Amino acid sequence: MPYNFITLDESASVDSSSASEALPFTLQDLRASIPAYCFEPSVWRSLSYFFLDLGIIATLYAIAHVINAWWFFPFFWLAQGTMFWALFVVGHDCGHGSFSRQKWLNSLIGHLSHTPILVPYHGWRISHRTHHRNTGNLDTDESWYPVSQAKYEQMPWYEKLFRFYLPLLAYPIYLFKRSSDRQGSHFHPASDLFRPSEKWDVLTSTALWTLMLAFLGGLTYAYGWLFLVQYYLAPYIVFVIWLDLVTFLHHTEQEIPWYRGDDWFFLKGALSTIDRDYGFINAIHHDIGTHVAHHIFLSMPHYHLKAATKAIKPILGSYYRKSDESIWSSFVKSYRTCRFVPNDGSQVYYQSSEHQQN
């Protein structure tokens, strides 16, 4: 089924001539600095990451089945949930068209990567397209965008609970309800997330998601709830925590600007993110923390992002953001301080609830 994502040339057209007036470089300047090979995916290399992740997941299941001891399962949950997250990142590349240039292969591997971890591939792919086309735009961004102070003060307790106090468990709810001030579901083609031409893509992914849910129900019926918790639900929760943690840290930082109205354009918004270092996890989750270059060049394979980052850093200068803090220190700091942005202003930054009281 045909689908569209924003391409390198399209992202250049998204930026109007105002880009050269507001930034000391253009998208074309950045692209010209990057070696040409960085823009070309290798099908075999991409497939090798997919099969490697599947192989590790299968091995972990086999080890857990053989050992089958209470003391081992917490280690298994952490490792397997992390591998679920790695598999999600493979599907993420498929959604961007950076896995391969063959749309049918991207859809196939995307579904094989996402359906087992209860992600509706096309529904998520399309909403993620909205996020990338509108990164840093307070009015139109899709995920982990800040709310205004007025909205924060009006939010019901249950919405604040998952948005600000249990943010690392928010993803499944987001699939069904999206974020604040956004309507619709990732499962229903009538959602304003989707174009009419994307109806069958969305229905296909929703049907496969439903079949996966039925399969898990069948396992539970055959082997019991404890089996489901030990072998699937606990790793799934770890996966959700990883997904929310990484996405939160990509876009939630007091130093990252957000824009309203005409002050926003594509490249400016794409720079409203930050690179993070996850230590030895970087290789396991396919360098997803190399996020600035990814937001500028959406269809670049993950295995070329480091080389691209090295090439564009001298041009970006102070516009390039990277945190050297530990991941958990950064999370705790942003968790405590990033609550809302001012009601007015074309370029705004996160403020804390303590700021509101002063």
Side-chain angles (χ1 to χ4, degrees):
M1 297 181 184
Y3 59 84
N4 298 308
F5 215 110
I6 192 167
T7 65
L8 297 176
D9 292 334
E10 286 174 330
S11 62
S13 66
V14 170
D15 271 355
S16 66
S17 60
S18 62
S20 60
E21 299 170 7
L23 296 172
F25 47 79
T26 66
L27 194 65
Q28 291 76 13
D29 294 334
L30 297 173
R31 185 176 183 180
S33 71
I34 299 173
Y37 74 84
C38 290
F39 298 105
E40 295 300 323
S42 163
V43 170
W44 297 112
R45 187 170 181 182
S46 296
L47 283 171
S48 71
Y49 288 105
F50 171 67
F51 286 115
L52 176 63
D53 289 349
L54 287 184
I56 296 173
I57 288 170
T59 300
L60 287 170
Y61 271 128
I63 293 172
H65 177 71
V66 170
I67 295 178
N68 193 25
W70 65 266
W71 58 264
F72 177 74
F73 276 106
F75 298 100
F76 166 73
W77 298 335
L78 182 60
Q80 194 69 294
T82 301
M83 290 311 304
F84 282 6
W85 164 235
L87 192 63
F88 174 89
V89 177
V90 170
H92 166 268
D93 272 16
C94 294
H96 279 292
S98 58
F99 187 90
S100 77
R101 294 292 182 247
Q102 286 74 48
K103 293 179 180 179
W104 69 267
L105 182 60
N106 292 336
S107 288
L108 174 63
I109 301 301
H111 279 107
L112 291 175
S113 300
H114 278 186
T115 305
I117 51 178
L118 292 178
V119 175
Y121 170 69
H122 280 307
W124 171 85
R125 171 185 65 78
I126 295 166
S127 76
H128 196 62
R129 173 188 68 196
T130 303
H131 163 59
H132 271 271
R133 283 180 165 175
N134 299 276
T135 303
N137 189 322
L138 279 172
D139 303 314
T140 56
D141 202 346
E142 173 62 24
S143 60
W144 288 116
Y145 54 86
V147 297
S148 67
Q149 181 175 339
K151 172 65 178 177
Y152 177 83
E153 293 169 351
Q154 296 169 1
M155 289 173 74
W157 68 267
Y158 54 85
E159 195 171 344
K160 282 186 178 180
L161 176 67
F162 283 98
R163 175 66 186 264
F164 300 109
Y165 300 103
L166 296 174
L168 300 188
L169 297 174
Y171 182 69
I173 298 173
Y174 165 72
L175 288 178
F176 285 94
K177 296 195 65 175
R178 297 176 71 192
S179 301
S180 302
D181 297 326
R182 306 286 189 268
Q183 301 297 319
S185 162
H186 287 74
F187 300 95
H188 199 294
S191 170
D192 61 8
L193 274 168
F194 311 124
R195 304 164 182 163
S197 61
E198 294 167 332
K199 172 182 177 180
W200 291 108
D201 281 349
V202 176
L203 289 176
T204 297
S205 296
T206 298
L208 291 172
W209 183 93
T210 304
L211 287 173
M212 181 63 196
L213 202 64
F215 172 71
L216 293 173
L219 287 178
T220 306
Y221 179 79
Y223 299 104
W225 282 101
L226 182 60
F227 179 90
L228 180 72
V229 171
Q230 287 180 328
Y231 287 96
Y232 187 84
L233 187 57
Y236 173 78
I237 292 172
V238 173
F239 152 66
V240 167
I241 290 172
W242 266 119
L243 193 158
D244 280 323
L245 173 68
V246 173
T247 309
F248 178 91
L249 289 175
H250 284 164
H251 303 287
T252 311
E253 176 86 14
Q254 282 196 308
E255 297 177 358
I256 291 178
W258 290 82
Y259 304 98
R260 290 186 175 102
D262 294 338
D263 202 29
W264 178 92
F265 54 84
F266 173 79
L267 181 55
K268 198 175 186 182
L271 294 171
S272 289
T273 186
I274 187 168
D275 282 0
R276 304 280 188 182
D277 186 357
Y278 295 85
F280 73 94
I281 301 294
N282 287 334
I284 295 174
H285 69 187
H286 310 308
D287 293 312
I288 193 66
T290 312
H291 211 62
V292 175
H294 168 62
H295 262 273
I296 300 172
F297 299 106
L298 315 180
S299 57
M300 183 180 291
H302 75 265
Y303 40 82
H304 293 320
L305 288 174
K306 284 186 175 180
T309 300
K310 183 178 180 179
I312 64 177
K313 279 175 63 176
I315 298 175
L316 292 178
S318 61
Y319 289 91
Y320 172 73
R321 294 180 178 88
K322 181 179 180 180
S323 174
D324 294 319
E325 288 184 314
S326 74
I327 294 303
W328 288 110
S329 294
S330 293
F331 171 73
V332 170
K333 183 181 71 174
S334 294
Y335 174 84
R336 290 176 174 173
T337 61
C338 296
R339 283 290 184 267
F340 51 77
V341 294
N343 296 327
D344 302 306
S346 60
Q347 178 175 319
V348 293
Y349 295 84
Y350 266 111
Q351 296 177 358
S352 66
S353 54
E354 288 76 14
H355 180 93
Q356 177 186 8
Q357 297 169 358
N358 292 334

